[in-house]
Amino acid sequence: MSLDSAEPLEIDPVLDDPRTRIVVCCGSGGVGKTTTAAALGVRAAERGRRVVVLTIDPARRLAQSMGIDELDNVPRRVHGIDDSAGGELHAMMLDMKRTFDEIVEAHADGDRARAILENPFYQSLSAGFAGTQEYMAMEKLGQLRAGDDWDLIVVDTPPSRSALDFLDAPSRLGSFLDGKFIKLLMAPAKIGGRAGMKFLGVGMSVMSGPLNKLMGAQLLRDVQTFVAAMDTMFGGFRTRADATYRLLQAPGTAFLVVAAPERDALREAAYFVERLAAERMPLAGLVLNRVHGSGAARLSAERALAAAEALTSGTSEYAENLDGAGIVDRDSGQAGSRTADDPGTLTPTDTSSPESGFPQPASSGATTPGASAERSVSMEGPSARVGESSAQLAAGLLRLHAERMQVLAREQRTRDRFTALHPEVRVAEVAALPGDVHDLAGLRAIAERLADQSAHRDRTRPADRAAVPAPAKGAEDASMET
């Protein structure tokens, strides 16, 4: 099945549906998730919805494109949006540590919260523990949704090596907090009072040697203090993670897998589509960014290369027409061309003889031998150089077009493999832009290309392309590898 036969993804119905409250843009790193999320936010806001875009990408591209000096953990109003339909747009960038601090402050009393926030182990955990960024993104999403201040929340998932990290991180952090080692350290706090301290003293006297060697005495004390202070909060982490996970499974959420027309990116997208299906999370479709196109897609690479070769070899009729030798100044003044002596061609009267009746130029002396040839060369040389230069320019342009068509064909084959594996996934394509998106106008252009799929597909369909057959059962992974 080819991409042409796949059902296109219609973005506007997804954004306009009031039941859609969360749109999650996910995919591997470097495929344009942040730009896609921002463009969707702009379009939804200008179509009348109150939108907040939550980005986890620490780069400043989103803030710059939206005309905001800086994004932080608080939604900031984006100005310059057409609000005639009653919509508005806010944007924010996840501050992982600040979000963790807010959780502590919200779920612990003053003294305990202060002890946790000042604990060195907590500071390391909140700033860089594996999975913390993804988990805090889920926490922030839950906070925004619970506040009910927004019609639509657009989430740009964290940039990571694997797109699956966003779904796996909450369970990984939860597993860490529920692990046997943490439970062992929590046991004294659960017993409480002097009995707990006695238990801790006995237990740690047995374990202190190996643990001190493994962790260091100071780090071990920091962990114990952190666990004791966090005792009442561990269950809340798991509960909130589970609640946000169920929120992502709800019908009001729409996942958009973002990819580029490259083998690795689409292989990652295929894995993510399968994971979403396994987790029963609603997939809206695939957004394919940076797709190349051509205004002359009906001229194949083969024909363009053949024409370029003909131009440079001088065997083409067009090359002959450009050849400077096609027109020379003959002795009689007759234009020398391939058709000058053809039957039916009117031969001009020879005006150089006195019998012609035409005025004769004053004699300047004897005619120099070879003057006619010199006149022919002087007229032939410049026109020949112009013709040769034009032919070379045309041949170069044809070769560039052939290279572009080869890129189109390669991208099309890669897309067709994905579509053959997942024919149920709707696809929207965004044409590659000549430069980076750096303002609201650029985001609008991206959104318009997302919404208008018919015009784009006409520019990206290579000539004489054969559809890629669906792979046999069991050969799916191999088809994406090639």
Side-chain angles (χ1 to χ4, degrees), residues 5 279 353 423 438:
S5 60
E279 299 293 336
S353 64
H438 55 79

Side-chain angles (χ1 to χ4, degrees), residues 301-317:
E302 292 77 10
R303 291 174 57 197
L305 288 174
E309 180 65 22
L311 279 171
T312 54
S313 64
T315 59
S316 169
E317 178 181 351

Side-chain angles (χ1 to χ4, degrees), residues 62-264:
L62 180 62
Q64 293 170 355
S65 63
M66 290 186 168
I68 300 175
D69 293 335
E70 187 175 0
L71 291 177
D72 53 22
N73 218 38
V74 178
R76 304 292 181 184
R77 181 74 178 266
V78 178
H79 299 284
I81 296 296
D82 181 2
D83 58 0
S84 58
E88 58 185 57
L89 177 62
H90 293 72
M92 62 182 299
M93 183 173 65
L94 177 71
D95 185 331
M96 178 176 64
K97 188 178 187 312
R98 182 57 197 155
T99 301
F100 213 147
D101 292 348
E102 290 173 355
I103 297 171
V104 172
E105 293 167 352
H107 296 88
D109 58 48
D111 292 339
R112 177 169 291 190
R114 185 164 49 255
I116 295 172
L117 297 177
E118 293 175 355
N119 184 275
F121 180 74
Y122 165 79
Q123 293 174 359
S124 298
L125 175 69
S126 61
F129 185 79
T132 304
Q133 185 182 47
E134 289 82 358
Y135 179 85
M136 288 304 139
M138 300 277 276
E139 281 277 356
K140 181 57 68 175
L141 174 60
Q143 292 175 12
L144 293 172
R145 183 66 181 86
D148 204 27
D149 294 327
W150 318 101
D151 291 336
L152 181 65
I153 303 169
V154 181
V155 182
D156 163 37
T157 55
S160 58
R161 287 182 60 255
S162 172
L164 303 179
D165 287 349
F166 180 69
L167 295 180
D168 291 335
S171 61
R172 287 205 308 270
L173 186 60
S175 298
F176 167 74
L177 296 177
D178 289 343
K180 292 182 180 180
F181 178 65
I182 294 295
K183 288 181 178 179
L184 175 63
L185 295 178
M186 287 173 58
K190 289 184 179 295
I191 295 175
R194 293 182 178 178
M197 295 305 297
K198 183 178 181 180
F199 175 85
L200 179 62
V202 173
M204 295 312 296
S205 65
V206 176
M207 299 176 59
S208 59
L211 287 176
N212 282 340
K213 292 180 180 179
L214 179 65
M215 302 175 61
Q218 184 59 49
L219 176 59
L220 184 58
R221 285 193 294 271
D222 292 340
V223 172
Q224 292 165 357
T225 305
F226 165 76
V227 170
M230 291 282 287
D231 176 32
T232 59
M233 297 181 57
F234 282 131
F237 281 106
R238 171 68 75 179
T239 300
R240 286 190 300 277
D242 291 344
T244 305
Y245 207 76
R246 289 193 298 271
L247 184 64
L248 294 176
Q249 293 176 318
T253 299
F255 276 85
L256 289 174
V257 178
V258 183
E262 301 167 358
R263 184 185 61 184
D264 291 343

Side-chain angles (χ1 to χ4, degrees), residues 375-410:
R375 289 164 54 203
S376 176
V377 170
S378 65
M379 292 296 294
E380 180 180 342
S383 59
R385 287 193 294 272
V386 170
E388 181 180 357
S389 176
S390 299
Q392 291 176 348
L393 177 60
L397 292 174
L398 285 168
R399 290 192 182 96
L400 287 175
H401 175 76
E403 292 177 4
R404 171 57 63 91
M405 295 308 298
Q406 289 168 351
V407 171
L408 263 65
R410 183 172 61 250

